[in-house]
Amino acid sequence: MAKPCVFASPSSTPLLKDELDIVIPTIRNLDFLEMWRPFFQPYHLIIVQDGDPSKVIKVPEGFDYELYNRNDINKILGPKASCISFKDSACRCFGYMVSKKKYIYTIDDDCFVAKDPTGKEINALEQHIKNLLCPSTPFFFNTLYDPYRDGADFVRGYPFSLREGVPTAVSHGLWLNIPDYDAPTQLVKPLERNTRYVDAVMTIPKGTLFPMCGMNLAFDRELIGPAMYFGLMGDGQPIGRYDDMWAGWCIKVICDHLGLGVKTGLPYIWHSKASNPFVNLKKEYKGIYWQEELIPFFQSVALPKECTSVQKCYLELSKQVKAKLGKVDDYFNKLADAMITWIEAWDDLNPSTATAAKLPNGSSK
């Protein structure tokens, strides 16, 4: 039998209160935090201000936060600040780098509290934490989805040798109302809204890629943080809106190699605002074309057994990006160099994590 996950936290103390940072990229006042106050106020916020650094971002009273604008990023990273995107939500990954906590939850400022089918407000952060603290099952699919959840278990035929699961590195949440569609789909289905609430969490199987969305995402920074780089996007770059996709493809092949788990499903947030599909198309059109070569690349990536840490995996991946994708467009040569700069900057700010966790016991590539 699967052992249900036990979350040892006094009822008055939020889970992981002192072990998790909430990272929010923004260009506007953070009035949306008022709705999240019951769930977010006990936690520390890292706000990454994009755009004009002279603009004053207002944060509701009562929140514990630190705010970084572009001037701060340049001051802290120096020349290495070139790896952090400007005028794009990809800048959020700077918050991952400066955090000193074990866990990260990141959310966009147009994401509000959703309600489950009973009308109860969803504490998205709490569900992400539960996802991260419970094991994943990437090596064999359980048809009842999460076997560690109350009321579920491993089904008949599931190998007993795999029932302990593996550590969960990433929890990918979903959205009600405005779906995370690309520009062509937005244009074809301008009025479509997601009203389906699927009460499930599942592990994405080993060897399967997925389109990661950064607007409702949590991860174990110690397990996978150095790979959670959102790339070169926005100002001065030929592509946008592929920042989280790029990070998702990278973290998935690295998690597969290191024997770590990635979950998707609950929790839901309410995505309140559809972005302009014509603006999105201008940002995405090269990515839509390039991804037909990017996906086969990531599907065929092989990391050598010597890559026993996230940093080593990521640096090896950068070499393969330059060697195999550089011929697609020179942008990928620049991106490969930025991947190296990112790791150097990460290790500068996080010297204690420069040698990341080894392969978990019992896992194999």
Side-chain angles (χ1 to χ4, degrees):
M1 291 179 62
K3 296 179 181 178
C5 290
V6 177
F7 305 102
S9 179
S11 58
S12 60
T13 305
L15 289 170
L16 303 181
K17 176 181 177 294
D18 299 317
E19 299 179 69
L20 181 143
D21 279 333
I22 299 173
V23 175
I24 305 169
T26 194
I27 58 171
R28 58 182 63 86
N29 295 334
L30 294 180
D31 300 329
F32 91 114
L33 285 174
E34 286 295 353
M35 179 178 284
W36 287 101
R37 187 181 292 275
F39 307 129
F40 287 2
Q41 190 162 359
Y43 296 88
H44 180 69
L45 312 181
I46 298 178
I47 300 164
V48 184
Q49 178 181 344
D50 197 16
D52 182 4
S54 66
K55 181 179 178 180
V56 176
I57 299 293
K58 295 180 180 179
V59 181
E61 291 185 7
F63 286 92
D64 173 37
Y65 71 94
E66 53 193 298
L67 186 150
Y68 298 93
N69 60 33
R70 192 68 201 189
N71 293 339
D72 300 316
I73 294 172
N74 291 339
K75 182 177 180 180
I76 292 168
L77 295 184
K80 294 186 177 76
S82 62
C83 72
I84 304 298
S85 298
F86 183 57
K87 294 186 179 179
D88 193 280
S89 64
C91 67
R92 79 176 77 220
C93 61
F94 177 77
Y96 310 159
M97 181 186 288
V98 296
S99 171
K100 301 303 178 188
K101 305 290 178 62
K102 177 173 170 58
Y103 299 98
I104 294 288
Y105 174 53
T106 185
I107 184 172
D108 285 3
D109 60 16
D110 62 349
C111 295
F112 301 158
V113 177
K115 293 181 179 180
D116 69 17
T118 70
K120 180 182 177 181
E121 291 192 336
I122 298 168
N123 185 345
L125 179 53
E126 181 180 64
Q127 179 64 52
H128 273 299
I129 291 170
K130 291 179 177 179
N131 292 349
L132 290 171
L133 294 182
C134 282
S136 292
T137 53
F139 303 121
F140 202 91
F141 188 78
N142 191 54
T143 51
L144 276 183
Y145 308 124
D146 184 356
Y148 306 103
R149 188 175 178 181
D150 286 342
D153 212 315
F154 291 101
V155 298
R156 181 171 55 90
Y158 201 100
F160 283 86
S161 60
L162 297 177
R163 294 191 180 195
E164 286 190 7
V166 302
T168 301
V170 178
S171 171
H172 177 257
L174 299 175
W175 350 266
L176 293 171
N177 195 37
I178 306 294
D180 187 29
Y181 285 163
D182 53 35
T185 309
Q186 281 184 293
L187 288 166
V188 173
K189 298 181 173 182
L191 301 179
E192 184 156 291
R193 299 294 181 264
N194 181 35
T195 59
R196 293 192 308 152
Y197 179 95
V198 180
D199 188 11
V201 178
M202 64 184 73
T203 298
I204 301 173
K206 180 180 178 181
T208 300
L209 296 174
F210 76 111
M212 188 174 82
C213 172
M215 75 172 82
N216 176 27
L217 178 73
F219 60 93
D220 186 323
R221 190 174 170 276
E222 292 181 2
L223 286 181
I224 199 63
M228 201 58 85
Y229 174 47
F230 276 41
L232 290 176
M233 302 284 152
D235 193 49
Q237 306 301 335
I239 186 175
R241 284 174 56 84
Y242 272 84
D243 50 337
D244 42 9
M245 300 294 156
W246 179 263
W249 298 329
C250 291
I251 63 97
K252 188 58 169 64
V253 298
I254 292 174
C255 283
D256 286 352
H257 175 77
L258 295 178
L260 301 171
V262 179
K263 294 180 179 178
T264 189
L266 300 179
Y268 285 90
I269 52 83
W270 181 269
H271 187 206
S272 66
K273 185 178 64 176
S275 48
N276 186 309
F278 296 101
V279 174
N280 290 346
L281 185 60
K282 185 176 180 181
K283 294 177 180 179
E284 291 174 0
Y285 79 94
K286 286 194 175 183
I288 292 170
Y289 174 73
W290 287 340
Q291 73 183 19
E292 300 306 318
E293 297 194 56
L294 299 183
I295 299 303
F297 164 76
F298 281 102
Q299 288 173 328
S300 64
V301 162
L303 298 173
K305 62 182 180 180
E306 292 78 20
C307 291
T308 54
S309 73
V310 176
Q311 280 92 331
K312 289 178 181 179
C313 290
Y314 203 71
L315 291 173
E316 171 62 27
L317 191 56
S318 73
K319 294 177 185 176
Q320 296 191 32
V321 167
K322 178 166 281 193
K324 297 179 181 179
L325 295 180
K327 60 188 177 184
V328 174
D329 193 273
D330 188 53
Y331 165 75
F332 293 101
N333 291 318
K334 297 176 183 176
L335 179 54
D337 290 339
M339 293 167 72
I340 297 171
T341 303
W342 161 265
I343 291 295
E344 291 173 347
W346 182 283
D347 287 347
D348 286 347
L349 295 182
N350 302 276
S352 62
T353 65
T355 54
K358 305 290 183 180
L359 285 158
N361 291 335
S363 66
S364 61
K365 184 173 184 300

